[in-house]
Amino acid sequence: MKKFRKVLDGLTTSSPVNPGGSPGCGSAAGTPSAAPTPRELEIQETLMSEHFQICKTVRHGFPYQPTALAFDPVQKILAIGSRSGGIRILGRPGVDCHSQHESGAAVLQMQFLINEGALVTACADDTLHLWSLRQRLPAILHSLKFNRERITFCHLPFQSKWLYVGTERGNTHIVNIESFILSGYVIMWNKAIELSTKTHPGPVVHLSDSPKDEGKLLIGFESGTIVMWDLRAKRADFRIYYDEAIHSVSWHHEGRQFMCSHSDGSLSMWNMRNTAKPFQVTFPHGKTQRDGRKESCKPILKVEYKTSRNSSEAFVIFSGGLSYDKAGRRPTLTIMHGKAITVLEMDYPIVDFMVLCETPYLNEVQEPYAVVVLLEKDFVVVDLTQSNFPIFENPYPMDVHESPVTCTAYFADCPPDIIPVLYSIGAKHKKTGYSHKEWPVSGGTWTVGSQTYPEIIITGHADGSIKFWDATAITLQMLYKLKTSKVFEKPKTGDMGRSADLVEEDPYAVQMISWCPQSRIFCVVGISAHVILYRFSKHDANTIITSLELRLQCEMEDVISPSDTENTPCFSDPSGHSPQPQPPSPRSNTPDSVRDSIPCLKVKDRMIRMPPGYQAELVVQLLWVDGEPPQQITCLDLNSAYGLLALGNCNGLAVVDYLQKTILLCMSTLELYGSADPFQRLTRSPRKNRQSTSGLTELSDNQVSLDLERSKSPTSESRENSFSRSRSSSVSSIDRETKEAVTTLQFAESYGRKSDSLPTPCLWVGTSLGLVLIIPMSIPTDEQERQEDPVTVAPTGTVLMLKGSVLRFGFLDCGGALINSPYEVWRDQHAPDDPDRPRKRKLVNFSPSSSQEACGDGHLAVVCSERQAKVFYMPSQACLYVHNITESSFVLRADVVSVSNSVCLACFCANGHIMILSLPSLRPLLDVSYLPLTDMRIARTFCFTNGGQALYLCSPTEIQRITYSQEMCVNLQETLGELFTPIETPEAQNRGFLKGFFGGNAQTFDREELFGEASAGKASRSLAQHIPGQGGIEGMKAAAGGVVGDLARARIALDERGQRLGELEERTALMMTSAETFSKHAHELMLKCKDKKWYQF
């Protein structure tokens, strides 16, 4: 603990802030302003640097740009690989893990070591990786980098430690899974095909061992060549040369026939007895034309051929194969069962699919029960056990991106009753028709941790929808969905109206949200310059939505006079462009005087029946003025205790009384200052420099460079390819034109004037020029008077100054504790009247004077801008602490948050740094370069919350949650699910004497004898490079970090001991076999040479 003693300026009546470069405006953290000392302020700060650490916790949503799919039929866990090198491993709800290849190379293929707790991945950089899943955070044990050949296909037989790897050159290599070293056994393409063949067969597209004999390997080449390779004899059993290119091959479980899918949309069936030609060729979706020929079809990219005990007919499941003449048809998955053909249309292109079967053994009846279909933007599981093939209800939050996410909000430690209420309302609107069976991906174990509290994530979307998510205990489950577009009339066909002129694509896109969990009042800011206020009710209601319209349009541009810079040296770097996106400008540039005093959207003006849940009560819209569209709303705040709503944009500020449905204040930023304006303004024509545009809903997928050289003007911003903002080093430039926008607002119990002795309701206003205004308000306290008497708002001219655009306010009492905003306790306005309990407004107030007696009156105000943070003492407005956060970048997001029973200021900068500052002294506690670069999507969605947590949209489809709390990082292992659980491998069925005799005995095949170094030799060192991983050490460290460390270590030790005993047994058996072989050969040699003379040798 450290005591900080700071001096208050409570007596002097000098300027609101020291504008010069005096010691009172220094940049060192913890340096107090040199002011008179009426009394000392002592605050004990408990937060230290060791309390903070950055780490990722969990990722939610659909894996962006998926590329590969794998499933473990015994452990029942599923893996999805992505183009960026990510791996998502899914099990039962709560078992959801994300890992990342450091190279960032796309995942081409994945293979589980079935029931072994391991996964092999093949990446686009021609590297194989072995992942251990026996710890909660997967780690790489080995890597193998191919130097001269490109990997195209991998196959790992069940219960084998030898991985077959096909390459682009047509060769097949074999890798030992245990050591991750190449075997000297190689199947070269020129040995696989006949010597008389003049053309190269192409890359290997399929590898599989015969279900009847594991010593036979089926190799499929892209050109249509199929080779059955005898691994023991090292020669081809047969070769098939087919005219059409092959995409996939699937065996019948008896191993007597197999099926191929081709590029012409056909399926060919081959019998092992006669491989000269296929015994059946079908075009499932190709009709016979009049001339007798089949119509051309699209390629069948994959086929699965599965058998079932209950039916003599097999399942044939494939993707693609539709005829070309049916343009516009959606991607399909076809299920053929006997003569029945079912075509399932998908919403997105199919990336991959897998048929889930009861047995892991390929030579047994497969018993398929589900199909996992991985689409480009969705994940579907189809139930095969029912004739209508229903889909399973997905327990994972895979629909975060149902409409593009445009904004996020994160609330930790919510009221405990809010989640059940939202869930009960949302459950009434759930879709039906799902399969009644349990979700088939049920592997792993997960339990709710002891240290959990209610958390809610809210996402706003491009179509105007809002989704509430239960984010408690690292899970994510949708609670409730709200559609804001229902408030407005639909535009008529052919006449898109003024909304189409303003926003061409998404007129309802959500730009900002504000929620009071205690009062359950919810506000939405839309891209069409509108605000919708919702109240929550458990009952349906018939109401008319009130609509208020505002003319918040500045008639002149406020420009800082060059001559004024000499008087304000402390404000040499004002921020001139709001960080929020701008709405698209009208398509027509003609100054149409008809467009005046009209809103962008038309609110429904009739009686509307509203279902239980959030019900719209008020809509506030900004109007067109003289052909100029309304500028986007840049900030919003509501306070349920005051019954007020404040909004601002680049033109000014408006305050609305939503209880009386009246507009209290609508003023330009310049008018708010009055005589206290610290700058001289020049007037210009409002049409000389029209505001530039940038989209809200087109979130860039690529990271874009940040222009920190201060060379671009705000008007030169492109729609999404730039994340630059004007940062002119001096305001003395003649070309410098800056409109002052309202960038942040907050209602609070504070002091509007230095002379105030008691706190009153105030509105704190921050602008893009780094100025802070405090506007006191007079609100009637009696409930009846509050409904009838007007609220008075009187700007006082109180101005505080910082560098850069103001982002956030926070308030502390004199003991350093956070002062929460007052709120109204929720009451259901549409509930039936109860005469015994009349409904009255119940307010909860956190006045700073009530929480401090020894310290006297007053409180601390924390103000954070893009460049700077300051702490002021109110009501004297003395600057106690100041800290320059960054000089080379700027802060995108700042929040005053509670961590470890204390308070701090969390900042996220445009250069990817996350910074934590102590309060009130503004000591730097953490500065970590978390992201190398920041794109618009991350900048728009990053937010901090209490409890040491934060989130952002890491891709257009995924939410990444992180923690900056050391305690949470340490306990992360306990909150995550277990991916691997010890399960007995199911025993193989008895094949019977006749089947074993006539069908061959696959168990006699010894891969170790063929592929081991003793018989096959070593592979060329230049062919592939082995890279050891740190998975084993990391896994042990991770297991040791939690409460279950001892058990985990014991289990790992037992597993390793059992593995070593198994290896010893194998080695002993191998040595006995070698000894017997050696004895046999020695005896044969002795008999052969017994009668020979010495000169005959």
Side-chain angles (χ1 to χ4, degrees), residues 37 98 837:
T37 59
H98 174 266
R837 299 180 61 186

Side-chain angles (χ1 to χ4, degrees), residues 62-70 79-88 101 104-110 121-124 152 302 349-354 374-378:
F62 181 77
Y64 184 56
Q65 295 180 329
T67 54
L69 185 66
I80 300 175
S82 69
R83 190 176 299 176
S84 60
I87 301 173
R88 280 284 288 282
H101 291 91
V107 179
L108 299 179
Q109 195 179 352
M110 299 184 294
T121 57
C123 295
T152 56
K302 185 176 182 179
I350 297 174
V351 176
D352 196 3
F353 74 89
M354 289 189 71
L374 180 63
L375 309 176
E376 280 189 1
K377 294 184 179 181
D378 203 356

Side-chain angles (χ1 to χ4, degrees), residues 6 10 40 197 426 458 501 589 633 649 703-704 754-755 768 820 830 879 1089:
K6 294 299 164 187
E40 293 180 343
T197 306
I458 304 177
D501 282 341
N589 293 325
I633 298 168
N649 67 359
Q703 290 184 334
V704 292
K754 289 184 179 182
S755 58
S768 57
N820 295 306
H830 295 133
C879 179
C1089 302

Side-chain angles (χ1 to χ4, degrees), residues 204-219:
V204 175
V205 295
H206 178 80
L207 292 167
S208 63
D209 45 346
S210 168
K212 189 166 66 171
D213 185 358
E214 293 177 351
K216 304 290 179 68
L217 183 68
L218 191 71
I219 308 173

Side-chain angles (χ1 to χ4, degrees), residues 371-401:
V371 185
V372 177
V373 189
L374 180 63
L375 309 176
E376 280 189 1
K377 294 184 179 181
D378 203 356
F379 174 67
V380 177
V381 182
V382 181
D383 187 354
L384 290 179
T385 62
Q386 299 182 46
S387 58
N388 59 340
F389 303 126
I391 65 171
F392 289 89
E393 184 176 7
N394 198 328
Y396 315 121
M398 295 290 187
D399 57 347
V400 173
H401 63 288

Side-chain angles (χ1 to χ4, degrees), residues 9 19-20 68 132 178 249 349 489 541 648 762 771 844 858 948-949 975 1003 1018:
D9 181 10
S132 171
E178 294 175 350
V249 181
E489 300 281 3
C762 292
L771 302 182
V844 178
Q949 298 198 75
T975 60
Q1003 303 301 322
K1018 292 184 178 180

Side-chain angles (χ1 to χ4, degrees), residues 553-566:
Q553 196 81 357
C554 189
E555 298 300 329
M556 62 181 178
E557 279 200 7
D558 305 330
V559 182
I560 303 170
S561 169
S563 62
D564 191 56
T565 59
E566 299 173 0

